[in-house]
Amino acid sequence: MKAKKLLIPLLLLCISLFAMVGCTSDKILAKPVDTSLEFWVIQDVSDIDFSGHYKLHGFGADFYYGKGYQPAEIIEDSAAIPPEHCVIYTVSPYPDYSSGGQYVTRIAITDPQVTVYGITCNSTLQDFDTTFENLGCSIQDKGLLHIATYGKVKIALASYDENKELTVSVEVTNKQGIDF
């Protein structure tokens, strides 16, 4: 009789624990082996020598062009116009702006030679969906923008007229409301 009384609370506790674990996903998609990307999201790059990369300073983040890429044009106020095809890495603190450190938090890809799990910026939205569904991602279809989510990582393919971009990112929080 005592076992039956303990069974229901124990069962409820187990269900609650499984629900909490399922809602707090810290999964990260591993860097694909078939990519020419130099870095991957949430990679600590504090000790990386970026001397071969063109750097732009931002508010709370720095932007590094991949090796071999540079802005097509620099405008007077230090704004840069990216070339038609490039890779730009956003480097900032992670997981919050107050956390410190230097991590890759976003990768923007407009070079169709760069692949991420076999997908390029020129891939079709259908190929994108199929590839990332097979990797266990959930897909958001926002018309010309599709977003694949796997734990903390979001991969998006945007296809606007001639402008196509593949991005890989993680959210950086700003819990202390830091103004840049």
Side-chain angles (χ1 to χ4, degrees):
M1 188 68 173
K2 282 187 177 181
K4 284 186 179 180
K5 286 183 179 181
L6 289 175
L7 183 62
I8 291 176
L10 185 60
L11 186 61
L12 289 173
L13 178 65
C14 288
I15 291 171
S16 298
L17 287 174
F18 284 124
M20 285 190 292
V21 170
C23 292
T24 57
S25 177
D26 286 343
K27 299 184 295 183
I28 302 294
L29 266 174
K31 181 179 180 181
V33 285
D34 68 341
T35 188
S36 58
L37 290 172
E38 300 168 75
F39 310 107
W40 192 242
V41 288
I42 312 182
Q43 180 177 343
D44 184 350
V45 292
S46 301
D47 296 332
I48 300 293
D49 178 11
F50 281 100
S51 59
H53 297 77
Y54 190 89
K55 178 181 180 180
L56 294 171
H57 295 284
F59 295 105
D62 289 320
F63 306 95
Y64 293 93
Y65 281 79
K67 276 193 177 176
Y69 302 106
Q70 61 183 13
E73 184 180 343
I74 303 292
I75 302 173
E76 257 179 58
D77 60 359
S78 299
I81 297 174
E84 182 181 359
H85 302 297
C86 68
V87 175
I88 300 174
Y89 300 96
T90 302
V91 175
S92 70
Y94 178 82
D96 190 85
Y97 284 110
S98 65
S99 299
Q102 294 293 300
Y103 296 87
V104 175
T105 53
R106 184 173 190 272
I107 306 167
I109 305 162
T110 58
D111 186 342
Q113 299 299 312
V114 177
T115 63
V116 174
Y117 293 102
I119 297 297
T120 71
C121 58
N122 284 341
S123 295
T124 67
L125 294 172
Q126 183 178 11
D127 288 342
F128 175 87
D129 291 353
T130 302
T131 297
F132 288 104
E133 282 174 349
N134 289 337
L135 288 169
C137 298
S138 61
I139 305 293
Q140 273 186 296
D141 178 348
K142 297 188 172 209
L144 299 174
L145 171 69
H146 286 208
I147 303 168
T149 303
Y150 185 92
K152 293 181 175 185
V153 178
K154 292 188 185 299
I155 301 174
L157 178 60
S159 181
Y160 305 107
D161 299 321
E162 294 179 17
N163 299 322
K164 296 177 191 269
E165 183 175 75
L166 182 65
T167 58
V168 183
S169 63
V170 292
E171 181 182 354
V172 179
T173 58
N174 192 358
K175 293 179 181 173
Q176 295 183 10
I178 297 171
D179 292 326
F180 296 103

